[in-house]
Short mmCIF file of all heavy atoms in Angstrom, two decimals:
data_model
loop_
_atom_site.label_atom_id
_atom_site.label_comp_id
_atom_site.label_asym_id
_atom_site.label_seq_id
_atom_site.Cartn_x
_atom_site.Cartn_y
_atom_site.Cartn_z
N MET A 1 158.35 117.91 106.48
CA MET A 1 158.37 117.54 105.09
C MET A 1 157.21 116.58 104.83
O MET A 1 156.90 115.74 105.63
CB MET A 1 159.71 116.85 104.79
CG MET A 1 159.88 116.57 103.33
SD MET A 1 161.54 116.12 102.73
CE MET A 1 162.58 116.07 104.12
N THR A 2 156.56 116.78 103.67
CA THR A 2 155.45 115.96 103.27
C THR A 2 155.78 115.30 101.94
O THR A 2 156.21 115.97 101.01
CB THR A 2 154.15 116.78 103.13
OG1 THR A 2 153.88 117.44 104.34
CG2 THR A 2 152.98 115.89 102.79
N LYS A 3 155.56 113.98 101.88
CA LYS A 3 155.79 113.25 100.64
C LYS A 3 154.45 112.78 100.09
O LYS A 3 153.63 112.23 100.84
CB LYS A 3 156.71 112.06 100.94
CG LYS A 3 157.16 111.27 99.74
CD LYS A 3 158.15 110.21 100.18
CE LYS A 3 158.69 109.43 99.06
NZ LYS A 3 159.64 108.41 99.52
N LEU A 4 154.26 113.03 98.80
CA LEU A 4 153.04 112.60 98.14
C LEU A 4 153.33 111.60 97.05
O LEU A 4 154.34 111.74 96.33
CB LEU A 4 152.35 113.79 97.48
CG LEU A 4 151.96 114.99 98.34
CD1 LEU A 4 151.54 116.14 97.47
CD2 LEU A 4 150.85 114.60 99.30
N LYS A 5 152.47 110.62 96.89
CA LYS A 5 152.52 109.74 95.73
C LYS A 5 151.60 110.40 94.70
O LYS A 5 150.44 110.71 94.97
CB LYS A 5 151.99 108.36 96.07
CG LYS A 5 151.97 107.44 94.87
CD LYS A 5 151.47 106.05 95.24
CE LYS A 5 151.45 105.19 93.98
NZ LYS A 5 150.93 103.88 94.25
N VAL A 6 152.15 110.65 93.51
CA VAL A 6 151.39 111.33 92.45
C VAL A 6 151.33 110.40 91.25
O VAL A 6 152.36 109.93 90.77
CB VAL A 6 152.07 112.67 92.05
CG1 VAL A 6 151.27 113.35 90.97
CG2 VAL A 6 152.24 113.57 93.27
N THR A 7 150.13 110.13 90.76
CA THR A 7 149.96 109.29 89.56
C THR A 7 149.37 110.10 88.42
O THR A 7 148.63 111.05 88.66
CB THR A 7 149.07 108.07 89.88
OG1 THR A 7 147.81 108.52 90.41
CG2 THR A 7 149.71 107.15 90.89
N GLY A 8 149.76 109.68 87.24
CA GLY A 8 149.25 110.35 86.05
C GLY A 8 150.26 111.26 85.33
O GLY A 8 150.01 111.71 84.21
N MET A 9 151.39 111.53 85.99
CA MET A 9 152.39 112.37 85.34
C MET A 9 153.18 111.52 84.32
O MET A 9 153.54 110.39 84.62
CB MET A 9 153.40 112.91 86.37
CG MET A 9 152.83 113.85 87.38
SD MET A 9 154.11 114.60 88.41
CE MET A 9 154.83 113.20 89.25
N THR A 10 153.43 112.10 83.14
CA THR A 10 154.13 111.36 82.09
C THR A 10 155.34 112.12 81.53
O THR A 10 156.11 111.54 80.76
CB THR A 10 153.20 111.03 80.93
OG1 THR A 10 152.65 112.27 80.40
CG2 THR A 10 152.05 110.12 81.36
N CYS A 11 155.48 113.39 81.89
CA CYS A 11 156.54 114.17 81.26
C CYS A 11 156.99 115.34 82.15
O CYS A 11 156.35 115.60 83.21
CB CYS A 11 156.10 114.71 79.92
SG CYS A 11 154.71 115.87 80.03
N GLY A 12 157.99 116.05 81.71
CA GLY A 12 158.47 117.22 82.46
C GLY A 12 157.43 118.32 82.58
O GLY A 12 157.39 119.02 83.59
N HIS A 13 156.59 118.44 81.56
CA HIS A 13 155.53 119.45 81.63
C HIS A 13 154.57 119.12 82.77
O HIS A 13 154.11 120.02 83.49
CB HIS A 13 154.74 119.50 80.31
CG HIS A 13 153.64 120.47 80.28
ND1 HIS A 13 153.84 121.83 80.15
CD2 HIS A 13 152.30 120.28 80.37
CE1 HIS A 13 152.65 122.46 80.18
NE2 HIS A 13 151.72 121.53 80.31
N CYS A 14 154.28 117.83 82.96
CA CYS A 14 153.41 117.41 84.05
C CYS A 14 154.05 117.77 85.39
O CYS A 14 153.36 118.32 86.27
CB CYS A 14 153.21 115.90 84.01
SG CYS A 14 152.42 115.25 82.53
N ALA A 15 155.32 117.49 85.52
CA ALA A 15 156.03 117.77 86.78
C ALA A 15 156.03 119.28 87.08
O ALA A 15 155.87 119.69 88.21
CB ALA A 15 157.46 117.25 86.73
N LYS A 16 156.21 120.08 86.03
CA LYS A 16 156.21 121.55 86.20
C LYS A 16 154.82 122.02 86.70
O LYS A 16 154.73 122.84 87.58
CB LYS A 16 156.54 122.23 84.86
CG LYS A 16 156.49 123.69 84.88
CD LYS A 16 157.76 124.28 85.39
CE LYS A 16 157.76 125.78 85.13
NZ LYS A 16 158.63 126.49 86.01
N GLY A 17 153.76 121.47 86.12
CA GLY A 17 152.42 121.83 86.56
C GLY A 17 152.16 121.47 88.01
O GLY A 17 151.61 122.26 88.77
N VAL A 18 152.59 120.28 88.42
CA VAL A 18 152.42 119.83 89.80
C VAL A 18 153.27 120.70 90.72
O VAL A 18 152.80 121.10 91.78
CB VAL A 18 152.78 118.32 89.95
CG1 VAL A 18 152.85 117.93 91.40
CG2 VAL A 18 151.76 117.46 89.20
N THR A 19 154.49 121.02 90.30
CA THR A 19 155.33 121.88 91.11
C THR A 19 154.67 123.24 91.35
O THR A 19 154.61 123.71 92.49
CB THR A 19 156.70 122.10 90.40
OG1 THR A 19 157.35 120.83 90.28
CG2 THR A 19 157.58 123.03 91.22
N ASN A 20 154.14 123.83 90.30
CA ASN A 20 153.49 125.13 90.44
C ASN A 20 152.22 125.05 91.29
O ASN A 20 151.97 125.94 92.10
CB ASN A 20 153.13 125.68 89.05
CG ASN A 20 154.35 126.09 88.25
OD1 ASN A 20 155.42 126.30 88.79
ND2 ASN A 20 154.20 126.17 86.93
N ALA A 21 151.47 123.97 91.14
CA ALA A 21 150.26 123.80 91.93
C ALA A 21 150.59 123.68 93.43
O ALA A 21 149.95 124.31 94.27
CB ALA A 21 149.47 122.57 91.46
N LEU A 22 151.63 122.91 93.74
CA LEU A 22 152.01 122.73 95.13
C LEU A 22 152.60 124.01 95.73
O LEU A 22 152.33 124.38 96.88
CB LEU A 22 153.05 121.59 95.25
CG LEU A 22 152.51 120.20 94.96
CD1 LEU A 22 153.64 119.19 94.90
CD2 LEU A 22 151.49 119.77 96.05
N ALA A 23 153.39 124.73 94.93
CA ALA A 23 154.03 125.97 95.41
C ALA A 23 153.00 127.03 95.75
O ALA A 23 153.25 127.88 96.62
CB ALA A 23 154.98 126.51 94.35
N ALA A 24 151.82 126.95 95.14
CA ALA A 24 150.76 127.93 95.39
C ALA A 24 149.96 127.66 96.67
O ALA A 24 149.17 128.51 97.10
CB ALA A 24 149.81 127.99 94.20
N VAL A 25 150.17 126.50 97.29
CA VAL A 25 149.42 126.16 98.50
C VAL A 25 149.98 126.94 99.69
O VAL A 25 151.21 126.93 99.91
CB VAL A 25 149.50 124.64 98.76
CG1 VAL A 25 148.82 124.29 100.09
CG2 VAL A 25 148.86 123.86 97.61
N PRO A 26 149.12 127.61 100.46
CA PRO A 26 149.59 128.33 101.64
C PRO A 26 150.34 127.41 102.61
O PRO A 26 149.89 126.28 102.86
CB PRO A 26 148.31 128.86 102.28
CG PRO A 26 147.33 128.92 101.16
CD PRO A 26 147.69 127.76 100.26
N GLY A 27 151.46 127.86 103.06
CA GLY A 27 152.26 127.08 104.02
C GLY A 27 153.40 126.30 103.37
O GLY A 27 154.23 125.75 104.08
N VAL A 28 153.43 126.26 102.03
CA VAL A 28 154.56 125.57 101.35
C VAL A 28 155.75 126.50 101.34
O VAL A 28 155.67 127.60 100.79
CB VAL A 28 154.16 125.15 99.91
CG1 VAL A 28 155.39 124.66 99.15
CG2 VAL A 28 153.09 124.09 99.94
N ASP A 29 156.82 126.06 101.95
CA ASP A 29 158.08 126.84 101.95
C ASP A 29 158.90 126.51 100.71
O ASP A 29 159.53 127.39 100.14
CB ASP A 29 158.92 126.53 103.20
CG ASP A 29 158.23 126.99 104.47
OD1 ASP A 29 157.45 127.97 104.41
OD2 ASP A 29 158.49 126.39 105.51
N LYS A 30 158.88 125.24 100.30
CA LYS A 30 159.69 124.83 99.18
C LYS A 30 159.16 123.52 98.60
O LYS A 30 158.84 122.58 99.36
CB LYS A 30 161.15 124.62 99.62
CG LYS A 30 162.08 124.18 98.54
CD LYS A 30 163.49 124.01 99.10
CE LYS A 30 164.46 123.58 98.02
NZ LYS A 30 165.82 123.34 98.56
N VAL A 31 159.05 123.44 97.28
CA VAL A 31 158.80 122.15 96.62
C VAL A 31 160.17 121.56 96.35
O VAL A 31 160.91 122.04 95.50
CB VAL A 31 157.99 122.35 95.31
CG1 VAL A 31 157.76 121.00 94.64
CG2 VAL A 31 156.66 123.06 95.59
N VAL A 32 160.53 120.59 97.14
CA VAL A 32 161.85 119.99 97.09
C VAL A 32 162.07 119.23 95.78
O VAL A 32 163.09 119.40 95.13
CB VAL A 32 162.11 119.06 98.29
CG1 VAL A 32 163.48 118.41 98.20
CG2 VAL A 32 161.97 119.81 99.59
N GLU A 33 161.08 118.43 95.39
CA GLU A 33 161.23 117.62 94.19
C GLU A 33 159.88 117.15 93.73
O GLU A 33 158.99 116.83 94.52
CB GLU A 33 162.12 116.41 94.49
CG GLU A 33 162.33 115.50 93.33
CD GLU A 33 163.19 114.29 93.64
OE1 GLU A 33 163.36 113.95 94.82
OE2 GLU A 33 163.71 113.71 92.68
N VAL A 34 159.70 117.07 92.42
CA VAL A 34 158.59 116.37 91.80
C VAL A 34 159.20 115.44 90.76
O VAL A 34 159.87 115.91 89.84
CB VAL A 34 157.59 117.34 91.13
CG1 VAL A 34 156.51 116.57 90.40
CG2 VAL A 34 156.96 118.28 92.17
N SER A 35 159.04 114.15 90.96
CA SER A 35 159.68 113.16 90.12
C SER A 35 158.66 112.38 89.32
O SER A 35 157.80 111.69 89.90
CB SER A 35 160.51 112.16 90.96
OG SER A 35 160.98 111.13 90.14
N VAL A 36 158.73 112.50 87.99
CA VAL A 36 157.85 111.74 87.12
C VAL A 36 158.23 110.25 87.23
O VAL A 36 157.33 109.40 87.31
CB VAL A 36 157.99 112.21 85.65
CG1 VAL A 36 157.23 111.31 84.70
CG2 VAL A 36 157.53 113.66 85.52
N GLU A 37 159.50 109.96 87.24
CA GLU A 37 159.98 108.59 87.26
C GLU A 37 159.52 107.82 88.52
O GLU A 37 159.11 106.66 88.42
CB GLU A 37 161.52 108.53 87.21
CG GLU A 37 162.10 109.03 85.90
CD GLU A 37 162.17 110.55 85.82
OE1 GLU A 37 162.06 111.24 86.89
OE2 GLU A 37 162.29 111.07 84.70
N ARG A 38 159.57 108.46 89.66
CA ARG A 38 159.17 107.82 90.93
C ARG A 38 157.71 108.07 91.26
O ARG A 38 157.17 107.47 92.19
CB ARG A 38 160.08 108.26 92.06
CG ARG A 38 161.49 107.70 91.97
CD ARG A 38 162.29 107.92 93.24
NE ARG A 38 162.39 109.31 93.63
CZ ARG A 38 163.19 110.23 93.11
NH1 ARG A 38 163.99 109.90 92.12
NH2 ARG A 38 163.21 111.47 93.53
N GLY A 39 157.08 109.00 90.56
CA GLY A 39 155.67 109.31 90.83
C GLY A 39 155.48 109.88 92.22
O GLY A 39 154.59 109.46 92.97
N GLU A 40 156.35 110.85 92.56
CA GLU A 40 156.26 111.43 93.88
C GLU A 40 156.59 112.91 93.91
O GLU A 40 157.21 113.43 92.95
CB GLU A 40 157.15 110.70 94.89
CG GLU A 40 158.64 110.90 94.66
CD GLU A 40 159.49 110.14 95.66
OE1 GLU A 40 159.02 109.14 96.24
OE2 GLU A 40 160.66 110.53 95.83
N ALA A 41 156.13 113.55 94.95
CA ALA A 41 156.46 114.94 95.18
C ALA A 41 156.83 115.10 96.64
O ALA A 41 156.22 114.47 97.53
CB ALA A 41 155.26 115.83 94.85
N ILE A 42 157.83 115.95 96.91
CA ILE A 42 158.26 116.22 98.28
C ILE A 42 158.19 117.71 98.52
O ILE A 42 158.71 118.49 97.72
CB ILE A 42 159.69 115.70 98.52
CG1 ILE A 42 159.74 114.18 98.25
CG2 ILE A 42 160.15 116.02 99.95
CD1 ILE A 42 161.14 113.61 98.26
N VAL A 43 157.51 118.09 99.61
CA VAL A 43 157.26 119.49 99.93
C VAL A 43 157.71 119.78 101.34
O VAL A 43 157.49 118.97 102.25
CB VAL A 43 155.75 119.81 99.77
CG1 VAL A 43 155.45 121.23 100.15
CG2 VAL A 43 155.27 119.51 98.35
N GLU A 44 158.33 120.95 101.54
CA GLU A 44 158.68 121.42 102.89
C GLU A 44 157.75 122.54 103.28
O GLU A 44 157.35 123.34 102.44
CB GLU A 44 160.12 121.93 102.91
CG GLU A 44 161.17 120.86 102.82
CD GLU A 44 162.58 121.42 102.88
OE1 GLU A 44 162.76 122.64 102.86
OE2 GLU A 44 163.51 120.61 102.95
N GLY A 45 157.46 122.60 104.58
CA GLY A 45 156.61 123.69 105.10
C GLY A 45 155.51 123.14 105.98
O GLY A 45 155.49 121.95 106.35
N SER A 46 154.61 124.04 106.32
CA SER A 46 153.53 123.69 107.25
C SER A 46 152.17 123.54 106.57
O SER A 46 151.13 123.64 107.21
CB SER A 46 153.43 124.78 108.32
OG SER A 46 153.15 126.03 107.70
N ALA A 47 152.18 123.35 105.23
CA ALA A 47 150.92 123.25 104.52
C ALA A 47 150.10 122.03 104.98
O ALA A 47 150.67 121.00 105.35
CB ALA A 47 151.21 123.13 103.02
N ASP A 48 148.79 122.19 104.93
CA ASP A 48 147.87 121.10 105.25
C ASP A 48 148.02 120.02 104.16
O ASP A 48 147.86 120.31 102.99
CB ASP A 48 146.45 121.65 105.28
CG ASP A 48 145.40 120.57 105.52
OD1 ASP A 48 145.74 119.47 105.97
OD2 ASP A 48 144.21 120.87 105.28
N PRO A 49 148.34 118.78 104.55
CA PRO A 49 148.50 117.73 103.54
C PRO A 49 147.27 117.56 102.67
O PRO A 49 147.40 117.28 101.46
CB PRO A 49 148.76 116.48 104.41
CG PRO A 49 149.38 117.01 105.66
CD PRO A 49 148.68 118.33 105.90
N ALA A 50 146.09 117.71 103.20
CA ALA A 50 144.87 117.59 102.40
C ALA A 50 144.83 118.67 101.31
O ALA A 50 144.38 118.43 100.21
CB ALA A 50 143.63 117.68 103.28
N ALA A 51 145.32 119.87 101.63
CA ALA A 51 145.34 120.96 100.65
C ALA A 51 146.33 120.65 99.54
O ALA A 51 146.12 120.99 98.40
CB ALA A 51 145.70 122.29 101.33
N LEU A 52 147.42 119.97 99.87
CA LEU A 52 148.39 119.56 98.86
C LEU A 52 147.77 118.56 97.88
O LEU A 52 147.93 118.69 96.67
CB LEU A 52 149.62 118.96 99.53
CG LEU A 52 150.44 119.90 100.42
CD1 LEU A 52 151.52 119.09 101.15
CD2 LEU A 52 151.05 121.04 99.65
N VAL A 53 147.05 117.60 98.44
CA VAL A 53 146.38 116.60 97.60
C VAL A 53 145.37 117.25 96.68
O VAL A 53 145.32 116.98 95.47
CB VAL A 53 145.72 115.51 98.47
CG1 VAL A 53 144.81 114.61 97.65
CG2 VAL A 53 146.77 114.69 99.20
N ILE A 54 144.59 118.18 97.21
CA ILE A 54 143.57 118.87 96.42
C ILE A 54 144.23 119.67 95.30
O ILE A 54 143.75 119.69 94.15
CB ILE A 54 142.71 119.79 97.31
CG1 ILE A 54 141.81 118.91 98.20
CG2 ILE A 54 141.86 120.76 96.47
CD1 ILE A 54 141.12 119.68 99.30
N ALA A 55 145.33 120.34 95.60
CA ALA A 55 146.05 121.15 94.58
C ALA A 55 146.50 120.27 93.43
O ALA A 55 146.37 120.64 92.26
CB ALA A 55 147.23 121.88 95.20
N VAL A 56 147.03 119.09 93.73
CA VAL A 56 147.48 118.18 92.69
C VAL A 56 146.28 117.66 91.88
O VAL A 56 146.32 117.61 90.64
CB VAL A 56 148.28 116.99 93.29
CG1 VAL A 56 148.59 115.96 92.22
CG2 VAL A 56 149.57 117.50 93.93
N GLN A 57 145.20 117.33 92.59
CA GLN A 57 144.01 116.84 91.89
C GLN A 57 143.41 117.92 90.97
O GLN A 57 142.98 117.61 89.85
CB GLN A 57 142.98 116.36 92.91
CG GLN A 57 143.40 115.11 93.62
CD GLN A 57 142.46 114.68 94.74
OE1 GLN A 57 141.70 115.51 95.25
NE2 GLN A 57 142.53 113.45 95.12
N GLU A 58 143.44 119.15 91.41
CA GLU A 58 142.90 120.24 90.61
C GLU A 58 143.76 120.49 89.38
O GLU A 58 143.33 121.04 88.39
CB GLU A 58 142.76 121.52 91.43
CG GLU A 58 141.61 121.46 92.41
CD GLU A 58 141.49 122.70 93.29
OE1 GLU A 58 142.39 123.55 93.29
OE2 GLU A 58 140.44 122.80 93.96
N ASP A 59 145.02 120.05 89.41
CA ASP A 59 145.90 120.17 88.27
C ASP A 59 145.75 118.97 87.33
O ASP A 59 146.38 118.89 86.28
CB ASP A 59 147.36 120.30 88.72
CG ASP A 59 148.26 120.89 87.66
OD1 ASP A 59 147.89 121.96 87.11
OD2 ASP A 59 149.32 120.31 87.38
N GLY A 60 144.92 118.00 87.70
CA GLY A 60 144.58 116.89 86.82
C GLY A 60 145.25 115.57 87.12
O GLY A 60 145.21 114.64 86.30
N TYR A 61 145.85 115.44 88.28
CA TYR A 61 146.57 114.21 88.66
C TYR A 61 145.98 113.67 89.97
O TYR A 61 145.30 114.38 90.68
CB TYR A 61 148.06 114.47 88.80
CG TYR A 61 148.62 115.13 87.56
CD1 TYR A 61 148.76 116.53 87.50
CD2 TYR A 61 148.97 114.38 86.46
CE1 TYR A 61 149.23 117.13 86.37
CE2 TYR A 61 149.43 115.00 85.30
CZ TYR A 61 149.56 116.37 85.26
OH TYR A 61 150.01 117.00 84.13
N GLN A 62 146.31 112.42 90.26
CA GLN A 62 145.88 111.83 91.53
C GLN A 62 147.04 111.88 92.51
O GLN A 62 148.20 111.76 92.11
CB GLN A 62 145.44 110.37 91.31
CG GLN A 62 144.19 110.23 90.47
CD GLN A 62 143.02 110.97 91.06
OE1 GLN A 62 142.71 110.83 92.26
NE2 GLN A 62 142.34 111.80 90.27
N ALA A 63 146.70 112.08 93.78
CA ALA A 63 147.75 112.16 94.80
C ALA A 63 147.25 111.57 96.13
O ALA A 63 146.05 111.61 96.39
CB ALA A 63 148.16 113.59 95.00
N GLU A 64 148.20 111.11 96.88
CA GLU A 64 147.90 110.67 98.26
C GLU A 64 149.15 110.92 99.10
O GLU A 64 150.26 110.87 98.59
CB GLU A 64 147.49 109.19 98.32
CG GLU A 64 148.57 108.23 97.89
CD GLU A 64 148.09 106.79 97.94
OE1 GLU A 64 147.54 106.32 96.92
OE2 GLU A 64 148.28 106.15 99.00
N VAL A 65 148.91 111.22 100.36
CA VAL A 65 150.03 111.50 101.29
C VAL A 65 150.69 110.18 101.66
O VAL A 65 150.01 109.21 102.06
CB VAL A 65 149.52 112.25 102.53
CG1 VAL A 65 150.65 112.45 103.54
CG2 VAL A 65 148.90 113.58 102.17
N VAL A 66 152.02 110.14 101.54
CA VAL A 66 152.80 108.95 101.91
C VAL A 66 153.38 109.17 103.29
O VAL A 66 153.36 108.27 104.13
CB VAL A 66 153.89 108.67 100.88
CG1 VAL A 66 154.74 107.48 101.32
CG2 VAL A 66 153.31 108.42 99.51
N SER A 67 153.92 110.36 103.55
CA SER A 67 154.50 110.64 104.85
C SER A 67 154.63 112.14 105.05
O SER A 67 154.54 112.90 104.13
CB SER A 67 155.89 110.02 105.01
OG SER A 67 156.77 110.50 104.08
#
């Protein structure tokens, strides 16, 4: 499981975009949660954490791997 801190999300539409971006990364089995309130995303699978960060950034938000 990989946890990301995501900044810049303000609404459900933002969370949906981040969810779709993460789900498209090779190796993602499941996007467990994207929380606007906590500013985080949790992903299951074997995806490269750097690829997850890039996917979020390409969707217009900032991200960093927490764990």
Side-chain angles (χ1 to χ4, degrees):
M1 187 166 2
T2 303
K3 186 175 183 180
L4 302 170
K5 178 180 178 181
V6 181
T7 54
M9 295 187 298
T10 59
C11 63
H13 179 76
C14 298
K16 176 84 169 157
V18 170
T19 299
N20 291 341
L22 291 170
V25 175
V28 171
D29 294 332
K30 179 180 181 183
V31 179
V32 177
E33 180 181 19
V34 175
S35 172
V36 173
E37 294 80 17
R38 289 191 305 281
E40 69 181 22
I42 301 171
V43 177
E44 288 181 352
S46 61
D48 177 16
L52 297 172
V53 169
I54 290 168
V56 172
Q57 291 174 339
E58 287 178 349
D59 201 50
Y61 307 96
Q62 293 302 310
E64 64 181 89
V65 176
V66 177
S67 61

